[in-house]
């Protein structure tokens, strides 16, 4: 076990503090591992909510706190849960007596953890059809008002008030009460400290309330003895004297806490003050000269035996010059940031624990984030540790260009087309397929890209795509080009034994369309073509008629010119 010790103040230095190191058999009895355990414990227990309690009390393994804040039943319960507690359950006469201790000086109604689920009151049930927020009706005590309402429409939540002698009163859950009472259960409680004549002990609990009279204190509580001003921390059913771990409330020090060269937590004071040698946490006025001025320590000066030396605050180490302080990597200690999903990040004078990608902090732990809640996938999402995975419905596969999207997939020569349910003429096919309309259905047919000569030498058609390969003495380049190989042993590229659906880029500048012409577009093309043909026939016919008419007119005029006049025709009677 490391040597025990504490610091006492001897005088100020240039721009920091100096302290006197002495050995003391009454030093801290927590080794560094135990101190770290205390720190981790308090990080989980000490969760004071946004509302400060107005009072509290602890007995056996339970603590109770009263909060004076206007809230309905649901919000009151959430406030207690945020502090790892619950609304108070009054299961015994002892708990009823605690009510009078907590609410004796207040007025108004306060929520307790009793309510009725969606059912009618039951006069023969233990709690008349009501249950505690722990979803049970175990109780050795009840204290209903005489005018209990048995109607199914009666109020479902319960409050107490000093004005009604702390009787259980039915109240609408959505109403605002004057406050609420929370209940906390702990293990490893410490018994209250005995008070000597002329002494008082004040207890500060991790639940935020400070009281003098306690029968027991939860882990993480501190006890301040007056007038000596000595401090103690409750851990594992024992009171540990200050200073304790510096990461927790500055080790109980009045000014600041640091680690001595033997790695023990120690208090020190600002310039001009010295550490109280009796309680080792408070600071007193410096009455003698400063023996550390000549050392010019950057941070802390301490007396070790008959000489003085410089020391650094926690998170720093002494430089080679014996005066300056440099940061060291706290993350080299494997005990920092426990947990496989936590990462230690070194910072000047300390470190920070952060969670890996895909994890977030909850109750001091790094827990997996369910990314699927935000709907990142186009079809189906499967949450995994630290990440998620997308999958697709039948007839689709994950888009290789975007892992959270899906694209149509066939994998064989013919597949049913994907048609709009509101418009059967609007159908779609996977890449490399064309639409074909049939009497009773619309299908997608694999098209033979090899017939379009996309490959420079040899081509093999595959479902939805094609594969290029080269002759002997050539190598494939850019997926479709064949370049003569400098290696005489080159055997070219052969066709794959198994067809593949891996797409090969089309050679520029021409690219094959990814899908066939939709039925609606095909109908339009046919109609346009028919109209165009009719128009061409009509115009050709008209042109022929005009030409024939002009020819006849010219011939008639020529015959008239040959007659040289008119002839009289006489009719016989």
């Amino acid at each position: 076990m490391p040597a025990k010790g504490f610091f006492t103040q001897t005088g100020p230095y240039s721009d920091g503090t100096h302290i006197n190191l002495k050995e003391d058999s009454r030093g801290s009895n927590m080794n560094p591992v135990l101190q770290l355990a205390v720190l981790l414990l308090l990080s989980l227990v000490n969760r004071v909510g946004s509302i400060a309690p107005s009072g509290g009390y602890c007995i056996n393994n339970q603590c109770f706190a009263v909060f004076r804040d206007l809230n309905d039943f649901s919000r009151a319960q959430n406030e207690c849960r945020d502090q790892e507690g619950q609304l108070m359950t009054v299961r015994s006469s002892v708990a009823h007596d605690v009510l009078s201790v907590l609410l004796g000086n207040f007025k108004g109604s306060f929520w307790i953890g009793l309510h009725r689920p969606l059912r009618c009151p039951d006069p023969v049930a233990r709690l008349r059809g009501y249950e505690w927020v722990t979803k049970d009706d175990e109780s050795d005590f009840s204290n209903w008002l005489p005018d209990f309402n048995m109607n199914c429409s009666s109020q479902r939540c319960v409050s107490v008030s000093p004005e009604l002698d702390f009787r259980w009163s039915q109240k609408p859950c959505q109403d605002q009460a004057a406050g609420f009472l929370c209940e906390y259960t702990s293990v490893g409680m410490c018994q209250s400290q005995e008070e000597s004549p002329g002494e008082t002990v004040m207890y500060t609990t991790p639940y935020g309330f400070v009281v003098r009279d306690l029968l027991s204190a939860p882990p993480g509580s501190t006890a301040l003895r007056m007038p000596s001003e000595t401090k103690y921390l409750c851990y594992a059913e024992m009171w540990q004297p200050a200073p304790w771990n510096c990461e927790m409330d500055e080790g109980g020090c009045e000014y600041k806490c640091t680690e001595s060269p033997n790695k023990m937590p120690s208090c020190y004071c600002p310039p001009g003050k010295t550490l109280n040698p009796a309680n080792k946490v408070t600071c007193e006025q410096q009455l003698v000269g400063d023996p550390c001025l000549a050392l010019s320590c950057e941070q802390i000066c301490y007396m070790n035996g008959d000489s003085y030396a410089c020391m650094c605050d926690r998170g720093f180490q002494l430089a080679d010059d014996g005066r300056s302080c440099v940061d060291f990597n706290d993350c080299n200690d494997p005990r920092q940031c426990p947990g496989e999903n936590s990462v230690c990040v070194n910072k000047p004078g300390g470190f920070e624990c952060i969670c890996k990608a895909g994890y977030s902090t909850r109750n001091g732990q790094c827990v997996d984030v369910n990314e699927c809640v935000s709907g990142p996938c186009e079809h189906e999402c499967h949450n995994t540790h630290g990440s998620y995975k997308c999958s697709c419905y039948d007839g689709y596969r994950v888009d290789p260009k975007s892992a959270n999207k899906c694209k149509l997939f066939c994998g064989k020569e013919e597949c049913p087309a994907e048609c709009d349910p509101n418009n059967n003429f609007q159908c779609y096919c996977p890449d490399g397929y064309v639409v074909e309309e049939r009497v009773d259905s619309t299908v997608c047919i694999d098209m033979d890209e090899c017939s379009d000569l996309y490959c420079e030498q040899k081509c093999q058609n595959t479902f939805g795509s094609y594969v290029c390969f080269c002759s002997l003495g050539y190598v494939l380049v850019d997926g479709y080009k064949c370049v003569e190989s400098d290696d005489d042993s080159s055997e070219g590229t052969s066709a794959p034994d198994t067809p593949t659906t891996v797409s090969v880029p089309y050679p520029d500048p021409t690219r094959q369309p990814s899908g066939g012409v939709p039925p609606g577009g095909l109908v339009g093309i046919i109609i346009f073509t028919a109209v165009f043909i009719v128009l061409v026939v009509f115009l050709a016919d008209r042109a022929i008629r005009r030409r024939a008419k002009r020819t006849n007119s010219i011939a008639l005029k020529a015959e008239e010119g040959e007659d040289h006049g008119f002839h009289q025709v006489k009719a016989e009677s």
Side-chain angles (χ1 to χ4, degrees):
M1 182 175 178
K4 301 174 182 178
F6 67 93
F7 293 112
T8 57
Q9 179 75 24
T10 59
Y13 63 99
S14 60
D15 60 348
T17 309
H18 59 269
I19 48 186
N20 178 26
L21 178 63
K22 298 181 180 179
E23 293 296 327
D24 180 19
S25 61
R26 199 177 65 85
S28 172
N29 57 359
M30 284 194 293
N31 60 37
V33 176
L34 184 59
Q35 296 169 23
L36 181 60
V38 175
L39 177 61
L40 295 177
L41 170 71
L42 289 192
S43 68
L44 297 176
V45 175
N46 191 11
R47 294 190 183 95
V48 179
S50 58
I51 306 172
S54 301
Y57 190 77
C58 296
I59 182 173
N60 298 327
N61 67 332
Q62 288 186 312
C63 289
F64 308 91
V66 56
F67 295 83
R68 299 178 64 190
D69 185 73
L70 291 175
N71 268 317
D72 57 29
F73 183 88
S74 177
R75 289 186 59 190
Q77 172 68 345
N78 290 335
E79 286 288 344
C80 294
R81 286 175 179 169
D82 289 344
Q83 302 176 50
E84 302 298 322
Q86 63 189 25
L87 283 173
M88 182 178 177
T89 59
V90 191
R91 303 173 186 264
S92 64
S93 58
V94 175
H96 175 75
D97 294 338
V98 173
L99 285 178
S100 61
V101 173
L102 296 177
L103 301 179
N105 297 325
F106 300 137
K107 294 181 180 181
S109 59
F110 292 79
W111 294 117
I112 61 173
L114 188 61
H115 69 122
R116 176 170 55 85
L118 295 175
R119 59 172 178 253
C120 295
D122 186 355
V124 299
R126 182 177 301 176
L127 293 176
R128 301 186 183 182
Y130 284 70
E131 65 179 28
W132 302 112
V133 289
T134 52
K135 297 185 179 180
D136 66 88
D137 61 353
E138 295 293 329
S139 183
D140 299 327
F141 178 82
S142 66
N143 195 27
W144 293 104
L145 284 171
D147 59 347
F148 183 86
N149 188 346
M150 294 297 301
N151 292 330
C152 293
S153 60
S154 60
Q155 312 305 336
R156 296 176 47 240
C157 293
V158 178
S159 65
V160 296
S161 65
E163 293 84 355
L164 297 177
D165 197 24
F166 309 109
R167 296 275 186 135
W168 299 354
S169 174
Q170 295 164 295
K171 188 179 180 68
C173 299
Q174 67 274 14
D175 278 10
Q176 300 283 315
F180 54 94
L181 298 113
C182 292
E183 170 184 309
Y184 314 93
T185 302
S186 300
V187 294
M189 304 274 282
C190 295
Q191 298 300 313
S192 60
Q193 296 191 10
E194 294 184 1
E195 295 183 1
S196 301
E199 275 191 326
T200 60
V201 181
M202 296 297 296
Y203 301 93
T204 302
T205 69
Y207 307 120
F209 58 85
V210 181
V211 292
R212 177 179 177 183
D213 296 323
L214 280 184
L215 295 180
S216 59
S221 298
T222 59
L224 176 63
R225 302 184 69 90
M226 298 296 291
S228 64
E229 296 187 89
T230 54
K231 284 185 177 182
Y232 298 85
L233 172 72
C234 175
Y235 174 73
E237 302 182 4
M238 296 181 61
W239 289 104
Q240 309 288 346
W244 49 78
N245 191 290
C246 293
E247 298 292 337
M248 182 172 53
D249 193 27
E250 285 292 342
C253 303
E254 178 182 335
Y255 181 61
K256 287 185 179 181
C257 177
T258 189
E259 286 187 354
S260 64
N262 56 9
K263 303 300 181 182
M264 299 300 296
S266 305
C267 298
Y268 65 94
C269 297
K273 291 189 176 183
T274 184
L275 198 68
N276 186 308
N279 59 42
K280 301 182 296 182
V281 293
T282 59
C283 297
E284 299 175 346
Q285 192 67 34
Q286 175 71 35
L287 301 177
V288 296
D290 181 9
C292 288
L293 285 175
L295 294 178
S296 300
C297 299
E298 182 179 351
Q299 291 185 356
I300 301 171
C301 174
Y302 72 98
M303 180 180 180
N304 188 5
D306 296 331
S307 61
Y308 291 85
C310 298
M311 189 174 67
C312 298
D313 203 348
R314 63 181 185 274
F316 295 88
Q317 61 186 9
L318 202 62
D320 294 337
D321 61 9
R323 298 189 305 270
S324 305
C325 295
V326 294
D327 176 62
F328 68 89
N329 191 353
D330 302 81
C331 296
N332 290 333
D333 187 346
R335 297 172 298 176
Q336 311 288 24
C337 306
E340 61 179 356
N341 300 320
S342 180
V343 178
C344 180
V345 179
N346 187 63
K347 292 189 172 183
F351 65 96
E352 180 182 5
C353 294
I354 63 175
C355 295
K356 294 180 180 178
Y359 294 84
S360 64
T361 304
R362 185 183 304 163
N363 298 335
Q365 301 292 325
C366 290
V367 297
D368 177 56
V369 174
N370 187 359
E371 295 88 352
C372 293
V373 174
S374 61
C377 300
E378 187 175 13
H379 284 184
E380 295 180 332
C381 180
H382 308 277
N383 188 54
T384 60
H385 292 294
S387 185
Y388 66 97
K389 185 177 181 181
C390 297
S391 62
C392 302
Y393 302 143
D394 291 341
Y396 291 82
R397 68 173 177 179
V398 175
D399 189 343
K401 296 181 180 179
S402 180
N404 63 331
K405 295 183 178 181
C406 296
K407 60 185 301 184
L408 286 170
F409 176 71
C410 180
K412 50 187 178 180
E413 186 174 357
E414 179 180 314
C415 293
E418 184 78 14
C419 297
D420 189 339
N422 300 316
N423 183 4
N424 292 331
F425 294 103
Q426 190 70 30
C427 297
Y428 304 92
C429 285
D431 291 345
Y433 289 78
V434 292
V435 173
E436 180 177 294
E437 288 186 345
R438 296 180 179 173
V439 177
D440 55 350
S441 65
T442 303
V443 297
C444 297
I445 304 295
D446 176 53
M447 62 181 182
D448 184 7
E449 293 90 348
C450 292
S451 62
D452 293 326
L453 304 178
Y454 290 131
C455 299
E456 193 168 281
Q457 289 189 0
K458 299 180 181 181
C459 176
Q460 177 174 315
N461 187 56
T462 62
F463 296 136
S465 186
Y466 65 99
V467 176
C468 298
F469 58 101
C470 300
S471 303
L472 181 65
Y474 290 83
V475 293
L476 192 67
V477 178
D478 295 336
Y480 70 96
K481 295 179 182 179
C482 290
V483 178
E484 188 173 0
S485 174
D486 296 333
D487 187 1
D488 297 335
S489 62
S490 174
E491 299 180 356
T493 55
S494 59
D497 296 332
T498 303
T500 176
T501 56
V502 178
S503 297
V504 178
Y506 297 108
D508 292 330
T510 304
R511 294 183 63 91
Q512 178 74 9
S514 61
V517 179
L522 185 60
V523 172
I525 293 174
I526 294 173
I527 294 174
F528 175 80
T529 304
V531 171
F532 179 76
I533 293 173
V534 171
L535 181 61
V536 170
V537 172
F538 172 77
L539 293 176
D541 179 73
R542 191 169 181 180
I544 293 172
R545 289 176 179 273
R546 282 187 175 181
R547 185 173 181 180
K549 186 176 180 180
R550 182 178 301 174
T551 302
N552 294 337
S553 177
I554 295 173
L556 181 60
K557 289 181 177 180
E559 292 177 359
E560 291 177 351
E562 293 175 358
D563 288 343
H564 302 286
F566 297 98
H567 299 274
Q568 184 177 3
V569 179
K570 296 181 179 181
E572 296 180 356
S573 58

